[in-house]
């Protein structure tokens, strides 16, 4: 065989290296064409094409010079005593010429391949499939909840990475650690929140929701069901003051007032639920400091702790990974008819079944079904005849709800991550608007029910109290007589999303 390349190249290591590089490269080229021509390939496809195979090419290419170096060293040792080794390039020598042309062609192909490859890898690591499906058991809670959320068409990267090379690199560096954590099985369960180095929300959320577009009130109908035999419905129809820029003053009012006034706070816990100190800096530069009347922050805490400036995530911490509460799930299903309100005590029993703790998904589904059927067998045996279809449907609805909102493997359910919008499951707005955050002059952060929403309708079907006074609304009626306790206590003293505690 005529040797067209430098003789040093003809050694086993370099030859094997070339073979590995060539084979990997051909497979990449083939898969790349396949990827272009077929729609919806699997998520592992990208890992192989754009992450594993390029390592093969690189390794193979590295082996070539390594082999040549080793070969040279050996020859030097063999013949050192006979000939001094010299390095010369002679373009009139066809072997040297071939080597250089070959080297340039391979380098050019490799560079183009690398450019296309890294572009593909860049896009691939930003896809929802890569983030949500590759480590599917770890990301299952986030991914499943996301797919049913209002943001199901927004990619993971649009919120978690955003625009710009800087954050891309940051996210890939922390991503590299996550790959290790997943492979070595050292990841925390559940994945803790708040996410420490989440990109500031104003740089991500505001790509789509900019504050000037908040306007007026949002109407929300909330249908609740009592834990009684009839599953009595209780409805609130309220106007929630989203707020917005006021034409006259040019300033924001209402709920989104917090974004154009700087609100800083100190939290005692990592979940940012226990807030003893809040400071507002108004646009004219004046400040106002509020401290908890009952449990003020120690001076040392105020001096040393880092304050956090409130942004979208301090309220909307569950915009897309929404693990719904048993109460929300069952109330929604009763309203849409997935669970029939004709089944006696179904609200209460369904909430009990969902909120119990189970060790794994399979046994949970079996136990939930058994528990519901057993309840009717013992207390309402007639249901099996008269409402059999409704009972079956309720059981199947509960199984779906459990599957989509409870993740025992990752230890995730509604009570593992607080939701800061509202105040009836978690403290939420009441972390500050609890009536006991005051200034030195004794002025409170507002606690008035009407400062955030007004109730336009409330009551049970056929017994609705209605007003058309948008400013004042109705005085809140608690669905069950608790003697005004709701005025002096927080809703969360009795409610936690898993049914009211007595
Ligand atoms: C609409 C914006 C948005 C989208 C889209 C989004 N996330 Fe999130 N994600 C968040 C926010 C906000 C948090 C909570 C931050 C906090 O509490 O500090 C979060 C938290 C998380 C957490 C921490 C654990 C948890 O359950 O809260 C993981 C893991 C996560 N997201 C993964 C993903 C994956 C995977 C996708 C795509 C399938 C995705 N996210 C899509 C906004 C988003
Ligand atoms: C790429 C665009 C995009 C980004 C980024 C984005 N959103 Fe959204 N958001 C949407 C769309 C689209 C909807 C759905 C609108 C609808 O259903 O009417 C939505 C809806 C919402 C809603 C209303 C949900 C409801 O229940 O009706 C809230 C609150 C919200 N987004 C907050 C956020 C927050 C907080 C962030 C940042 C963590 C964020 N969004 C990032 C596009 C985006
Ligand atoms: C003080 C808490 C708080 C902050 C801070 C906050 N929001 Fe909201 N936001 C709310 C509440 C409460 C609602 C109404 C209730 C709901 O939609 O569930 C709301 C509603 C919305 C909606 C739905 C609006 C509509 O018309 O239906 C969007 C979108 C939204 N917020 C985005 C954002 C973005 C983006 C930011 C950051 C720039 C932000 N919010 C900051 C509390 C807050
Ligand atoms: C970290 C503390 C903090 C949290 C959490 C918080 N707020 Fe506030 N909020 C304030 C402070 C401070 C003020 C200004 C004092 C006042 O107006 O009483 C304020 C003012 C308001 C105002 C009056 C704005 C105006 O027009 O003057 C509304 C409405 C409001 N908040 C709604 C909410 C809602 C809804 C939530 C929960 C989703 C919430 N806030 C969560 C600190 C907070
Ligand atoms: C700081 C603002 C704020 C204050 C003060 C406030 N609320 Fe709310 N409230 C909210 C927000 C935000 C929600 C959640 C709306 C949603 O679900 O989107 C809510 C939800 C509710 C709901 C619906 C609960 C459910 O079952 O879903 C009721 C009822 C309610 N509030 C009653 C009250 C009463 C009574 C008071 C006075 C004691 C009060 N609120 C004070 C902000 C506030
Ligand atoms: C002293 C304890 C207590 C307090 C405080 C309390 N509740 Fe309740 N709540 C109950 C009980 C008990 C029931 C009846 C149980 C049931 O039917 O589920 C109930 C039922 C309800 C229901 C209808 C059924 C359901 O589970 O959704 C709503 C809505 C409700 N409460 C909202 C509130 C709100 C909003 C607040 C705060 C403003 C509040 N409650 C404060 C004890 C309390």
């Amino acid at each position: 065989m005529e040797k067209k390349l430098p003789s040093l190249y003809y050694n086993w290591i370099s030859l094997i290296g070339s073979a590995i590089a060539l084979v990997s490269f051909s497979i990449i080229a083939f898969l790349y064409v396949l990827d272009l021509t077929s729609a919806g390939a699997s998520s592992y496809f990208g890992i192989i094409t754009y992450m594993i195979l390029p390592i093969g090419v690189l390794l193979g290419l590295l082996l070539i010079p390594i082999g040549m170096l080793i070969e040279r060293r050996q020859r030097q040792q063999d013949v050192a005593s006979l000939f001094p080794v010299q390095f010369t390039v002679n373009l009139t020598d066809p072997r040297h010429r071939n080597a250089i042309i070959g080297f340039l062609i391979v380098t050019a192909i490799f560079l183009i391949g690398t450019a296309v490859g890294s572009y593909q890898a860049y896009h691939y690591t930003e896809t929802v499939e890569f983030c949500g499906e590759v480590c599917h058991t770890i990301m299952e809670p986030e991914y499943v909840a996301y797919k049913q959320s209002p943001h199901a068409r927004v990619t993971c990267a649009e919120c978690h990475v955003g625009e710009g090379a800087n954050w891309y690199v940051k996210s890939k560096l922390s991503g590299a650690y996550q790959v290790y954590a997943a492979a070595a099985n050292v990841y925390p369960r559940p994945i803790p929140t708040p996410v420490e180095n989440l990109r500031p929300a104003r740089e991500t959320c505001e790509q789509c929701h900019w504050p000037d577009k908040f306007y007026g009130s949002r109407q929300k109908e909330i249908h609740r069901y009592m834990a009684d035999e009839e599953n009595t419905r209780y409805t609130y129809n309220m106007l929630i003051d989203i707020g917005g820029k006021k034409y006259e003053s040019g300033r924001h009012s209402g709920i989104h007032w917090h974004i154009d006034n700087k609100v800083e706070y100190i939290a005692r816990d990592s979940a940012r639920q226990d807030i003893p100190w809040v400071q507002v800096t108004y646009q004219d530069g004046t400040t106002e400091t509020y401290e908890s009347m009952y449990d003020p922050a120690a001076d040392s805490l105020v001096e040393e702790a880092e304050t956090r400036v409130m942004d979208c995530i301090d309220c909307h911490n569950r915009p897309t990974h929404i693990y719904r509460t048993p109460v929300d799930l069952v109330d929604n299903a009763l309203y849409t008819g997935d669970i029939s309100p004709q089944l006696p005590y179904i609200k209460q029993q369904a909430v009990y079944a969902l909120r119990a703790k189970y060790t794994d998904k399979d046994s949970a589904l079996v136990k939930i079904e058994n528990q519901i059927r057993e309840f009717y067998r013992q207390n309402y045996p007639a249901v099996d005849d008269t409402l059999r279809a409704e009972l079956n449907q309720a059981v199947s609805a509960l199984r779906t709800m459990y599957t989509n909102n409870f993740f025992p493997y990752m230890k995730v359910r509604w009570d593992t991550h607080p939701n800061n919008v509202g105040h009836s499951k978690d403290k939420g707005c009441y972390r500050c608007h609890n009536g006991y955050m005051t200034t030195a002059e004794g002025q409170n952060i507002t606690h008035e029910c009407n400062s955030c929403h007004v109730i336009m309708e409330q009551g049970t079907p056929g017994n609705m109290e209605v007003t058309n006074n948008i400013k004042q609304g109705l005085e809140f009626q608690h669905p069950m007589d608790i003697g005004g306790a709701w005025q002096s206590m927080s809703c969360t003293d009795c409610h936690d999303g898993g049914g009211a505690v007595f």
Side-chain angles (χ1 to χ4, degrees):
M1 185 176 80
E2 193 196 341
K3 291 183 175 172
K4 291 192 169 164
L5 292 169
S7 67
L8 280 180
Y9 172 78
Y10 297 92
N11 68 78
W12 281 114
I13 298 179
S14 302
L15 287 174
I16 290 173
S18 315
I20 294 178
L22 203 70
V23 170
S24 308
F25 193 81
S26 321
I27 302 178
I28 294 178
F30 174 71
L31 290 181
Y32 178 63
V33 174
L34 206 68
D35 193 15
L36 288 183
T37 49
S38 68
S42 112
S43 56
Y44 297 105
F45 185 93
I47 293 209
I48 296 173
T49 319
Y50 304 122
M51 303 183 98
I52 296 179
L53 286 171
I55 296 178
V57 176
L58 212 67
L59 263 180
L61 287 178
L62 268 178
L63 283 179
I64 298 176
I66 291 176
M68 289 171 78
L69 276 177
I70 293 175
E71 175 76 9
R72 194 176 122 184
R73 184 151 310 154
Q74 263 172 10
R75 284 194 207 169
Q76 274 174 346
Q77 278 165 4
D78 294 346
V79 296
S81 48
L82 298 177
F83 308 100
V85 177
Q86 277 182 343
F87 183 73
T88 49
V89 175
N90 180 359
L91 284 182
T92 53
D93 179 341
R95 280 200 304 148
H96 284 196
R97 217 169 41 227
N98 284 345
I100 289 173
I101 292 173
F103 176 76
L104 289 178
I105 291 177
V106 169
T107 311
I109 294 179
F110 183 66
L111 283 182
I112 295 171
T114 312
V116 175
S118 22
Y119 179 75
Q120 289 294 329
Y122 165 80
H123 272 286
Y124 174 63
T125 57
E126 299 277 286
T127 57
V128 170
E129 290 73 37
F130 177 75
C131 305
E133 287 175 9
V134 169
C135 352
H136 50 264
T137 48
I138 307 179
M139 281 302 131
E140 190 195 5
E142 285 75 23
Y143 187 54
V144 171
Y146 154 89
K147 281 199 297 190
Q148 310 167 75
S149 81
H151 290 105
R153 299 285 179 275
V154 176
T155 66
C156 316
E158 273 170 298
C159 291
H160 284 281
V161 186
E163 290 182 347
N166 190 0
W167 278 89
Y168 179 78
V169 173
K170 272 194 209 175
S171 79
K172 290 301 164 278
L173 286 180
S174 68
Y177 172 75
Q178 286 155 17
V179 170
Y180 156 75
N185 197 4
V186 292
Y187 50 87
R189 287 172 229 184
I191 296 173
T193 49
V195 176
E196 279 307 328
N197 36 24
L198 191 74
R199 183 158 188 181
R202 309 206 55 161
E203 293 167 26
T204 51
C205 315
E206 286 188 18
Q207 298 293 322
C208 300
H209 308 286
W210 53 103
D212 284 356
K213 290 288 166 277
F214 293 125
Y215 191 74
S217 296
R218 172 190 216 185
Q219 186 211 5
K220 191 158 176 178
E221 262 180 47
I222 297 166
H223 301 285
R224 296 296 179 193
Y225 291 81
M226 305 295 286
D228 54 14
E229 187 174 25
E230 295 78 33
N231 311 297
T232 309
R233 184 162 95 201
Y234 200 97
T235 299
Y236 293 104
N237 187 350
M238 22 191 241
L239 296 178
I240 305 173
D241 185 9
I242 304 289
K245 218 176 214 169
K246 284 270 177 351
Y247 176 70
E248 310 90 57
S249 61
R251 291 196 42 212
H252 282 268
S253 69
I255 294 172
H256 290 99
W257 165 92
H258 305 75
I259 4 181
D260 74 351
N261 295 279
K262 184 173 165 203
V263 179
E264 286 167 278
Y265 68 88
I266 296 176
R268 286 203 183 94
D269 59 336
S270 61
R272 302 175 186 150
Q273 295 297 299
D274 179 6
I275 297 180
W277 184 96
V278 177
Q279 187 169 63
V280 186
T281 309
Y282 291 95
Q283 280 172 336
D284 60 11
T286 54
T287 61
E288 196 79 86
T289 309
Y290 300 86
E291 287 204 65
S292 167
M293 247 161 33
Y294 299 126
D295 192 10
D299 289 345
S300 58
L301 183 70
V302 177
E303 275 155 29
E304 283 158 30
E306 238 180 84
T307 60
R308 183 177 154 84
V309 179
M310 217 175 161
D311 72 14
C312 319
I313 302 302
D314 290 287
C315 298
H316 297 287
N317 61 336
R318 302 274 116 214
T320 193
H321 313 296
I322 311 168
Y323 311 118
R324 295 188 195 280
T325 67
V327 166
D328 280 352
L329 286 166
V330 177
D331 285 344
N332 272 342
L334 283 163
Y335 188 66
T336 58
D338 286 343
I339 293 182
S340 165
Q342 285 173 286
L343 290 163
Y345 281 114
I346 188 66
K347 161 75 190 264
Q348 186 191 52
Q349 290 304 311
V351 167
Y352 284 168
L354 286 178
R355 79 173 180 204
K357 291 216 162 148
Y358 303 100
T359 48
D360 62 87
K361 192 156 273 180
D362 293 339
S363 69
L365 295 179
V366 174
K367 284 185 182 150
I368 288 172
E369 168 153 12
N370 290 347
Q371 200 173 320
I372 296 288
R373 292 195 188 279
E374 192 55 31
F375 173 81
Y376 288 107
R377 210 171 292 136
Q378 288 197 352
N379 301 290
Y380 296 90
V383 161
D384 202 35
D385 282 336
T386 49
L387 293 167
R388 173 177 285 195
E390 283 81 355
L391 182 58
N392 289 342
Q393 195 195 359
V395 165
S396 108
L398 282 170
R399 292 170 65 103
T400 311
M401 285 174 204
Y402 188 86
T403 309
N404 288 341
N405 294 279
F406 295 74
F407 306 90
Y409 174 75
M410 286 302 292
K411 299 196 168 62
V412 169
R413 40 183 243 161
W414 91 94
D415 51 359
T416 46
H417 297 283
N419 184 337
N420 291 334
V421 170
H423 52 80
S424 30
K425 156 182 161 339
D426 299 292
K427 288 204 261 174
C429 314
Y430 276 28
R431 290 173 298 160
C432 299
H433 290 269
N434 46 29
Y436 53 82
M437 297 295 293
T438 57
T439 59
E441 294 78 43
Q443 192 196 330
N444 280 350
I445 298 182
T446 176
H447 182 52
E448 263 295 302
C449 306
N450 278 3
S451 51
C452 303
H453 46 62
V454 285
I455 298 175
M456 305 303 293
E457 291 181 282
Q458 63 187 351
T460 51
N463 191 16
M464 292 296 284
E465 195 189 347
V466 182
T467 182
N468 52 17
N469 184 341
I470 297 183
K471 293 264 176 296
Q472 204 106 54
L474 295 166
E475 199 197 341
F476 173 72
Q477 297 288 332
H478 187 266
M480 188 200 208
D481 187 5
I482 51 168
W486 60 270
Q487 278 161 316
S488 51
M489 295 167 75
S490 285
C491 315
T492 46
D493 290 336
C494 302
H495 293 274
D496 71 351
V501 276
F502 293 83

